[in-house]
């Protein structure tokens, strides 16, 4: 509760400090470098602020109030371009949403103007010339590109990334305007009237990079819009595709190896899932490096549960595209296998099953020994969900067929774990599933099963004899110590 209070209080003071006079033109060139957030390039910020000059100020009447402009549908076609530009400049005005009673009229004028622009672009009644497109992208930049408020852990000083279920998500106060601005950008991108050759001059690498920065917003509504918009940009502008992939890689690297805190990893992975699905074969070396250097290490952070579903989909897509990658993927999972986090272990087992479904026999044989050593440890886990999830592997027909083909190697690796479960696991469901697995192996190859059982009993007998000898040795030491003179501190044992 204290964390929520500090979080909301800090956010409110920040939004108040963003607006000195109630309204202002665009974001300035002041950036704040929070621990888990990257900042825009200062030169880019300076150039952005220089673009908004006094000659481009919004239309205000002598009293300093926004002028109400006529509707675009009410003027002639020849006047629409000029009126469209004036309406864009009206939308440059930044409203103060920290106080709901402040600037109500101006907020409503801007909202209605933005809605009119959405309808105008969607209708396609007037083709946007280059100047109109330039000013449109500038208006979008002024409204959406901003410094994000500090995350909850930066206000409270908490070490670990917060669980999204333990705290309410922060909702952007300016969303009533921000949502419509995003809608304008989305309509512009999907419009058949948009000329890609002209649009790419203004939706450039700097614009894309700033857009990616906003994925760290805590507002899930904003991240959903950003996901859709970035996906459209990736599909429409082929020239930006390598840059987008590289920029996303850099976000992942910083998240994995530095901060382990970012709000938009799941959304970025959802975009990548559809991108990976479209990779051509044979797969480029660049894409394989992305798998090994970014996607597999994403299993390392503690907060993997937040983004595991899209991550698992991306990994599976790679294996389905190129089955030869299965060995490296499985070994990567084993490398980052959790030791003390049982919930994370259950996620790994689920993902491992999906990967094994797409694995061919040759790749399976390369990694089956370390794989089933780990599965054996999972079978003996005192956490029943981990043991149960590992036993569910034998419900998958493809995995069972792979195991049956290599039973001479696999059964000796896990036979001891199965026996320990039968003899001593506390959970009855795990006992029942273990018995089913044993019967399955016995039906596959009864001679092999009996041989493993005999070896296990011999091993148990040797271990029991060793333990008895140890006990006997300690008993002899105790007897010798009891018979030795008290003044003699030295005990000699032959």
């Amino acid at each position: 509760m204290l964390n929520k209070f500090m979080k909301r209080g800090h956010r409110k003071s920040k939004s108040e400090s963003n607006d000195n006079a109630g309204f202002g033109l665009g974001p300035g060139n002041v950036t704040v470098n929070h621990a888990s957030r990257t900042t825009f390039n200062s030169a880019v910020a300076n150039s952005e602020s220089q673009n908004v000059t006094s000659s481009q100020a919004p239309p205000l009447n002598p009293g300093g109030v926004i002028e109400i402009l006529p509707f675009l549908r009410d003027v002639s076609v020849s006047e629409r371009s000029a009126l469209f530009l004036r309406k864009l400049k009206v939308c440059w005005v930044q409203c103060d949403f920290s106080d709901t009673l402040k600037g109500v009229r101006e907020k409503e004028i801007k909202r209605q103007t933005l809605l009119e622009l959405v309808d105008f672009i969607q209708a396609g009644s007037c083709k946007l010339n280059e100047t109109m497109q330039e000013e449109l992208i500038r208006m979008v930049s002024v409204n959406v590109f901003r410094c994000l408020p500090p995350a909850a852990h930066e206000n409270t000083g908490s070490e670990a990334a917060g669980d999204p279920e333990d705290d309410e998500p922060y909702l952007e106060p300016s969303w009533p305007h921000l949502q419509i601005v995003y809608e304008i950008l989305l309509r512009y991108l999907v419009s058949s009237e948009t000329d890609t050759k002209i649009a790419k001059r203004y939706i450039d690498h700097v614009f894309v990079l700033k857009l990616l920065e906003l994925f760290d917003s805590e507002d899930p509504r904003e991240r959903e819009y950003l996901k859709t918009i970035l996906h459209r940009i990736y599909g429409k502008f082929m020239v930006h595709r390598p840059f987008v992939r590289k920029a996303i890689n850099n976000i992942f690297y910083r998240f994995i190896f530095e901060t382990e805190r970012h709000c938009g990893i799941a959304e970025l992975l959802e975009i990548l899932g559809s991108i990976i699905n479209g990779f051509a074969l044979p797969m480029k070396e660049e894409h394989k490096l992305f798998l090994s250097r970014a996607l597999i290490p994403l299993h390392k952070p503690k907060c993997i549960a937040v983004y595991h579903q899209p991550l698992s989909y991306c990994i599976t897509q790679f294996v389905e595209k190129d089955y030869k990658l299965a060995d490296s993927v499985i070994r990567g999972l084993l490398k980052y296998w959790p030791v003390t986090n049982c919930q994370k272990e259950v996620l790994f087992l689920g993902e491992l099953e999906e990967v094994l479904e797409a694995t061919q026999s040759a790749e399976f044989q390369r990694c089956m020994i370390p794989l089933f050593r780990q599965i054996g440890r999972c079978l003996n886990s005192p956490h029943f969900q981990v043991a149960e999830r590992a036993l569910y592997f034998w419900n998958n027909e493809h995995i069972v067929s792979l195991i049956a083909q290599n039973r001479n190697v696999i059964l000796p690796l896990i036979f001891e774990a199965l026996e320990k479960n039968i003899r001593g696991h506390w959970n009855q469901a795990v006992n029942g599933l273990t018995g089913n697995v044993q019967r399955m192996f016995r039906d596959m190859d009864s001679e092999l099963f009996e041989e493993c059982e005999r070896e296990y009993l011999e091993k148990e007998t040797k271990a029991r004899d060793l333990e008895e000898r140890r006990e006997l040795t300690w008993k002899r030491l105790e007897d010798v110590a009891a018979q030795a003179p008290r003044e003699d501190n030295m005990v000699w044992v032959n």
Side-chain angles (χ1 to χ4, degrees):
M1 181 61 70
L2 179 61
N3 291 354
K4 294 182 182 179
F5 177 77
M6 294 176 67
K7 177 177 178 181
R8 291 171 182 167
H10 188 88
R11 292 245 164 74
K12 183 175 181 181
S13 63
K14 186 178 188 309
S15 58
E16 289 171 352
S17 64
N18 277 346
D19 195 354
N20 295 328
F23 300 97
L25 289 181
N29 58 355
V30 179
T31 59
V32 181
N33 186 13
H34 298 299
S36 66
R37 302 176 190 273
T38 56
T39 56
F40 302 146
N41 188 294
S42 59
V44 173
N46 289 334
S47 64
E48 194 71 42
S49 62
Q50 290 169 4
N51 287 336
V52 184
T53 62
S54 58
S55 63
Q56 298 168 330
L60 304 174
N61 63 23
V65 181
I66 298 177
E67 177 185 352
I68 299 178
L69 299 173
F71 291 111
L72 286 164
R73 65 174 180 268
D74 295 339
V75 299
S76 62
V77 176
S78 59
E79 296 176 347
R80 284 180 183 173
S81 296
L83 182 58
F84 181 82
L85 294 175
R86 293 184 69 190
K87 285 183 176 288
L88 287 176
K89 291 175 183 177
V90 167
C91 297
W92 286 355
V93 174
Q94 300 294 291
C95 302
D96 182 6
F97 283 87
S98 62
D99 186 353
T100 56
L101 301 178
K102 189 176 182 180
V104 176
R105 177 180 177 276
E106 287 77 8
K107 291 175 185 176
E108 183 61 21
I109 291 174
K110 180 177 178 180
R111 191 181 74 85
Q112 292 296 337
T113 304
L114 289 168
L115 288 172
E116 186 183 4
L117 293 176
V118 172
D119 295 337
F120 181 76
I121 294 171
Q122 185 174 4
S125 55
C126 177
K127 187 173 182 179
L128 303 183
N129 58 38
E130 185 169 353
T131 302
M132 296 168 72
Q133 293 186 53
E134 180 183 5
E135 293 302 315
L136 175 66
I137 298 302
R138 184 174 295 169
M139 183 276 293
V140 171
S141 301
V142 165
N143 281 275
V144 304
F145 296 148
R146 66 203 187 280
C147 288
L148 297 173
H153 66 84
E154 293 169 4
N155 292 333
T156 61
S158 60
E159 290 292 330
D163 187 342
E165 296 181 357
D166 293 344
D167 198 3
E168 297 177 4
Y170 168 71
L171 300 179
E172 176 62 44
S174 61
W175 185 246
H177 287 178
L178 201 59
Q179 178 185 12
I180 309 174
V181 175
Y182 279 127
E183 190 66 29
I184 289 173
L185 178 57
L186 182 59
R187 296 296 176 186
Y188 170 73
L189 289 170
V190 301
S191 174
S192 58
E193 298 294 328
T194 301
D195 189 344
T196 307
K197 293 181 180 179
I198 296 176
K200 71 180 181 182
R201 300 175 189 170
Y202 310 110
I203 301 181
D204 54 6
H205 286 180
V206 174
F207 184 91
V208 172
L209 195 61
K210 287 183 176 182
L211 208 63
L212 283 166
E213 296 281 353
L214 294 174
F215 273 88
D216 204 12
S217 169
E218 289 190 61
D219 194 328
R221 303 168 301 179
E222 181 171 13
R223 297 199 305 271
E224 193 66 25
Y225 259 103
L226 288 166
K227 179 182 71 174
T228 306
I229 288 169
L230 184 63
H231 193 266
R232 291 290 184 178
I233 290 175
Y234 189 90
K236 198 175 189 73
F237 303 95
M238 293 188 66
V239 68
H240 291 336
R241 291 182 179 182
F243 179 80
V244 170
R245 294 196 299 268
K246 184 177 180 181
I248 293 176
N249 276 5
N250 291 336
I251 292 174
F252 287 164
Y253 294 153
R254 191 163 192 266
F255 170 71
I256 296 164
F257 301 111
E258 294 182 23
T259 65
E260 289 196 7
R261 299 183 181 106
H262 196 284
C263 296
I265 299 298
E267 286 77 11
L268 291 172
L269 285 168
E270 288 177 22
I271 296 171
L272 285 169
S274 59
I275 292 174
I276 295 167
N277 193 30
F279 282 167
L281 295 176
M283 199 170 290
K284 295 180 181 178
E285 191 63 28
E286 168 200 350
H287 303 328
K288 295 179 181 179
L289 289 175
F290 167 67
L291 170 67
S292 61
R293 294 180 180 178
L295 289 185
I296 291 178
L298 275 173
H299 292 83
K300 176 185 175 184
K302 298 176 183 177
C303 56
I304 185 176
V306 177
Y307 57 83
H308 181 262
Q309 184 176 353
L311 173 61
S312 177
Y313 177 76
C314 290
I315 294 287
T316 308
Q317 284 290 304
F318 266 102
V319 179
E320 290 178 352
K321 283 278 182 181
D322 187 353
Y323 65 89
K324 294 181 180 178
L325 295 172
D327 177 43
S328 59
V329 166
I330 292 172
R331 291 182 183 274
L333 286 173
L334 296 176
K335 177 182 179 181
Y336 293 105
W337 200 274
V339 178
T340 59
N341 190 333
C342 295
Q343 292 181 347
K344 189 174 177 181
E345 203 165 1
V346 171
L347 294 176
F348 272 52
L349 287 166
E351 181 178 352
L352 184 59
E353 182 176 356
E354 293 181 3
V355 172
L356 286 173
E357 284 183 353
T359 303
Q360 302 298 321
S361 179
E363 282 64 41
F364 179 78
Q365 290 174 357
R366 294 192 185 100
C367 60
M368 62 183 177
I369 292 178
L371 171 61
F372 277 88
R373 282 175 179 162
Q374 181 60 56
I375 290 177
R377 288 189 285 269
C378 293
L379 293 174
N380 288 145
S381 173
H383 195 291
F384 79 97
Q385 289 181 337
V386 176
E388 193 174 51
R389 189 64 189 83
L391 288 164
Y392 283 159
F393 277 29
W394 279 266
N395 292 340
N396 188 298
E397 292 182 3
H398 180 68
I399 296 176
V400 169
S401 67
L402 293 174
I403 292 173
Q405 294 170 19
N406 302 276
R407 58 185 179 274
N408 292 331
V409 177
I410 293 173
L411 182 57
L413 292 174
I414 64 171
F415 187 88
E416 183 176 351
L418 295 173
E419 279 293 323
K420 287 182 178 179
N421 273 3
I422 288 292
R423 296 185 181 190
H425 201 284
W426 64 272
N427 187 270
Q428 293 298 320
V430 172
N431 284 336
L433 290 171
T434 303
N436 293 338
V437 172
Q438 281 192 327
R439 283 190 292 273
M440 191 178 296
F441 275 114
R442 191 186 295 274
D443 293 340
M444 283 182 194
D445 193 335
S446 58
E447 292 182 3
L448 176 63
F449 187 88
E450 291 172 0
E451 182 182 349
C452 291
E453 188 174 26
R454 184 171 58 255
E455 290 177 356
Y456 174 75
L457 293 175
E458 291 176 358
K459 183 179 178 181
E460 285 287 297
T461 302
K462 290 179 181 179
R464 191 162 47 250
D465 293 343
L466 180 61
E467 184 65 25
E468 290 175 357
R469 286 199 298 270
R470 288 179 62 191
E471 291 291 336
L472 182 60
T473 301
W474 279 109
K475 189 175 184 307
R476 288 175 58 197
L477 287 172
E478 291 173 0
D479 293 341
V480 172
Q483 295 174 4
R486 293 184 178 274
E487 64 273 13
D488 187 2
N489 294 328
M490 299 291 292
V491 177
W492 295 94
V493 180
N494 294 329

